[in-house]
Amino acid sequence: MKRSTFITACVLSFSVLLSSCTDDGVQEQSHSQMTKTATGDIRETTKSIEHLPSFLSAFEEEMAALYQQAAEHRELLENIPCYCGCGQSAGHKNNYDCFVYENKKDGSVVWDDHATKCGVCLDIAAESIAAYDQGKSIKDIRHMIDEKYKEGYAEPTPTKPL
Protein backbone atom coordinates (compact mmCIF):
# COMPACT_ATOMS: atom_id res chain seq x y z
CA MET A 1 0.00 0.00 0.00
CA LYS A 2 1.40 3.38 -0.90
CA ARG A 3 2.20 5.70 1.96
CA SER A 4 -0.35 8.27 0.75
CA THR A 5 -3.08 5.61 0.66
CA PHE A 6 -2.15 4.51 4.19
CA ILE A 7 -2.24 8.10 5.44
CA THR A 8 -5.60 8.66 3.73
CA ALA A 9 -6.95 5.52 5.37
CA CYS A 10 -5.77 6.76 8.77
CA VAL A 11 -7.40 10.18 8.21
CA LEU A 12 -10.59 8.42 7.15
CA SER A 13 -10.44 6.26 10.26
CA PHE A 14 -10.11 9.34 12.43
CA SER A 15 -13.11 10.99 10.78
CA VAL A 16 -15.16 7.83 11.34
CA LEU A 17 -14.19 7.88 15.03
CA LEU A 18 -15.32 11.48 15.30
CA SER A 19 -18.65 10.64 13.70
CA SER A 20 -19.22 7.82 16.25
CA CYS A 21 -19.11 4.04 16.22
CA THR A 22 -22.87 3.62 16.46
CA ASP A 23 -25.69 3.12 14.01
CA ASP A 24 -28.70 5.35 14.50
CA GLY A 25 -31.03 2.83 12.86
CA VAL A 26 -32.34 5.28 10.25
CA GLN A 27 -31.21 3.27 7.22
CA GLU A 28 -33.93 1.33 5.44
CA GLN A 29 -33.44 -1.90 3.54
CA SER A 30 -34.89 -1.80 0.03
CA HIS A 31 -32.33 -3.96 -1.77
CA SER A 32 -33.27 -7.64 -1.89
CA GLN A 33 -29.70 -8.77 -1.18
CA MET A 34 -29.29 -6.50 1.83
CA THR A 35 -30.14 -7.38 5.41
CA LYS A 36 -29.74 -5.73 8.77
CA THR A 37 -28.52 -7.70 11.80
CA ALA A 38 -29.81 -7.42 15.36
CA THR A 39 -26.72 -5.33 16.18
CA GLY A 40 -27.54 -2.88 13.38
CA ASP A 41 -24.86 -3.99 10.93
CA ILE A 42 -25.83 -4.13 7.27
CA ARG A 43 -24.90 -7.17 5.20
CA GLU A 44 -25.03 -7.03 1.43
CA THR A 45 -24.29 -9.74 -1.12
CA THR A 46 -22.45 -9.04 -4.37
CA LYS A 47 -21.37 -11.51 -7.04
CA SER A 48 -17.63 -11.26 -6.25
CA ILE A 49 -14.95 -9.27 -4.40
CA GLU A 50 -14.63 -7.13 -7.53
CA HIS A 51 -18.16 -5.83 -6.89
CA LEU A 52 -18.30 -3.69 -3.78
CA PRO A 53 -21.52 -3.28 -1.79
CA SER A 54 -23.79 -0.31 -2.40
CA PHE A 55 -23.61 0.79 1.26
CA LEU A 56 -20.10 2.08 0.52
CA SER A 57 -21.51 4.76 -1.80
CA ALA A 58 -22.31 6.86 1.28
CA PHE A 59 -18.59 7.15 2.10
CA GLU A 60 -15.43 8.66 0.63
CA GLU A 61 -13.55 6.63 -2.00
CA GLU A 62 -10.90 5.73 0.59
CA MET A 63 -13.45 3.61 2.46
CA ALA A 64 -14.23 1.60 -0.68
CA ALA A 65 -10.50 1.23 -1.36
CA LEU A 66 -9.90 -0.16 2.13
CA TYR A 67 -12.84 -2.57 1.79
CA GLN A 68 -11.40 -3.77 -1.52
CA GLN A 69 -7.96 -4.20 0.03
CA ALA A 70 -9.44 -6.08 3.00
CA ALA A 71 -11.23 -8.50 0.67
CA GLU A 72 -8.01 -9.06 -1.27
CA HIS A 73 -6.08 -9.75 1.95
CA ARG A 74 -8.37 -12.41 3.37
CA GLU A 75 -5.62 -14.77 4.56
CA LEU A 76 -3.83 -11.95 6.35
CA LEU A 77 -6.86 -10.41 8.08
CA GLU A 78 -8.33 -13.78 9.10
CA ASN A 79 -5.17 -14.13 11.23
CA ILE A 80 -5.41 -10.66 12.79
CA PRO A 81 -7.68 -10.01 15.79
CA CYS A 82 -9.88 -6.97 16.10
CA TYR A 83 -9.89 -5.01 19.36
CA CYS A 84 -13.11 -2.99 19.05
CA GLY A 85 -15.29 -5.43 20.97
CA CYS A 86 -16.93 -6.98 17.92
CA GLY A 87 -15.95 -10.47 19.05
CA GLN A 88 -18.46 -10.12 21.85
CA SER A 89 -21.03 -7.79 20.28
CA ALA A 90 -21.14 -9.18 16.72
CA GLY A 91 -19.56 -12.63 17.03
CA HIS A 92 -16.58 -11.75 14.85
CA LYS A 93 -13.59 -14.11 14.91
CA ASN A 94 -11.00 -11.77 13.30
CA ASN A 95 -10.52 -8.41 11.58
CA TYR A 96 -11.63 -9.81 8.20
CA ASP A 97 -15.12 -10.38 9.65
CA CYS A 98 -15.48 -6.62 10.16
CA PHE A 99 -15.51 -6.24 6.36
CA VAL A 100 -16.74 -9.56 4.99
CA TYR A 101 -19.34 -11.76 6.64
CA GLU A 102 -19.03 -14.68 4.22
CA ASN A 103 -17.24 -15.80 1.06
CA LYS A 104 -19.61 -18.18 -0.72
CA LYS A 105 -18.55 -21.17 -2.82
CA ASP A 106 -20.00 -19.60 -5.98
CA GLY A 107 -17.64 -16.61 -5.56
CA SER A 108 -20.25 -14.23 -4.22
CA VAL A 109 -19.45 -12.19 -1.13
CA VAL A 110 -21.61 -11.14 1.80
CA TRP A 111 -20.13 -7.83 2.92
CA ASP A 112 -20.56 -6.39 6.43
CA ASP A 113 -20.71 -2.64 7.06
CA HIS A 114 -19.39 -2.98 10.63
CA ALA A 115 -16.00 -1.48 9.75
CA THR A 116 -17.61 1.62 8.22
CA LYS A 117 -18.68 2.62 11.73
CA CYS A 118 -15.53 1.79 13.66
CA GLY A 119 -12.11 3.39 13.42
CA VAL A 120 -10.43 0.56 15.36
CA CYS A 121 -11.46 -1.97 12.69
CA LEU A 122 -10.29 0.34 9.91
CA ASP A 123 -6.98 1.15 11.57
CA ILE A 124 -6.13 -2.50 12.27
CA ALA A 125 -6.84 -3.47 8.66
CA ALA A 126 -4.94 -0.52 7.17
CA GLU A 127 -1.91 -1.06 9.45
CA SER A 128 -1.88 -4.81 8.80
CA ILE A 129 -2.16 -4.46 5.02
CA ALA A 130 0.54 -1.77 4.91
CA ALA A 131 2.92 -3.93 6.96
CA TYR A 132 2.17 -6.97 4.77
CA ASP A 133 2.82 -4.96 1.61
CA GLN A 134 6.17 -3.93 3.14
CA GLY A 135 7.12 -7.60 3.38
CA LYS A 136 6.38 -8.33 7.04
CA SER A 137 5.15 -11.82 7.89
CA ILE A 138 1.65 -12.50 9.15
CA LYS A 139 3.15 -13.65 12.45
CA ASP A 140 5.09 -10.38 12.85
CA ILE A 141 2.03 -8.32 11.95
CA ARG A 142 -0.10 -10.21 14.45
CA HIS A 143 2.47 -9.53 17.16
CA MET A 144 2.60 -5.83 16.17
CA ILE A 145 -1.20 -5.48 16.36
CA ASP A 146 -1.46 -7.43 19.63
CA GLU A 147 1.19 -5.23 21.24
CA LYS A 148 -0.32 -1.97 20.01
CA TYR A 149 -3.90 -2.76 21.05
CA LYS A 150 -3.35 -4.84 24.21
CA GLU A 151 -4.13 -1.96 26.57
CA GLY A 152 -6.99 0.52 26.41
CA TYR A 153 -9.08 -1.45 23.91
CA ALA A 154 -11.74 -4.15 24.13
CA GLU A 155 -10.92 -7.84 24.36
CA PRO A 156 -9.60 -9.18 21.06
CA THR A 157 -11.69 -11.37 18.80
CA PRO A 158 -11.10 -15.12 19.34
CA THR A 159 -8.77 -15.32 16.35
CA LYS A 160 -7.16 -18.70 15.78
CA PRO A 161 -3.58 -18.96 17.06
CA LEU A 162 -0.74 -18.81 14.55
Side-chain angles (χ1 to χ4, degrees):
M1 178 181 268
K2 294 181 183 176
R3 182 181 173 107
S4 63
T5 304
F6 177 71
I7 291 170
T8 303
C10 289
V11 169
L12 176 64
S13 297
F14 182 69
S15 67
V16 169
L17 279 174
L18 289 178
S19 67
S20 169
C21 282
T22 62
D23 183 0
D24 61 10
V26 174
Q27 297 172 317
E28 293 184 28
Q29 309 311 303
S30 60
H31 193 281
S32 63
Q33 294 182 313
M34 192 180 292
T35 60
K36 194 169 202 175
T37 68
T39 60
D41 290 339
I42 295 171
R43 293 189 181 143
E44 183 178 346
T45 304
T46 65
K47 61 183 179 177
S48 70
I49 66 169
E50 288 81 28
H51 297 88
L52 294 173
S54 64
F55 63 71
L56 290 175
S57 64
F59 299 93
E60 299 290 328
E61 286 182 32
E62 291 83 1
M63 181 73 75
L66 187 54
Y67 260 76
Q68 186 71 57
Q69 287 289 308
E72 292 172 359
H73 288 84
R74 178 180 179 181
E75 180 184 359
L76 166 65
L77 296 181
E78 283 183 337
N79 286 289
I80 304 298
C82 187
Y83 284 82
C84 79
C86 61
Q88 295 159 334
S89 66
H92 291 176
K93 303 281 187 240
N94 51 59
N95 187 243
Y96 186 74
D97 289 350
C98 301
F99 298 86
V100 176
Y101 175 72
E102 181 182 7
N103 292 88
K104 297 189 175 198
K105 290 181 182 186
D106 67 359
S108 62
V109 177
V110 181
W111 301 90
D112 194 310
D113 83 328
H114 179 84
T116 66
K117 300 174 282 184
C118 186
V120 174
C121 302
L122 296 171
D123 287 344
I124 289 172
E127 292 166 20
S128 298
I129 293 167
Y132 188 78
D133 288 349
Q134 293 170 358
K136 292 188 177 171
S137 71
I138 293 174
K139 185 176 182 179
D140 288 344
I141 296 166
R142 170 91 175 249
H143 179 72
M144 174 188 78
I145 295 298
D146 285 340
E147 285 299 307
K148 180 174 181 178
Y149 293 90
K150 70 181 177 183
E151 293 181 22
Y153 294 89
E155 287 294 314
T157 53
T159 306
K160 64 184 176 185
L162 289 177

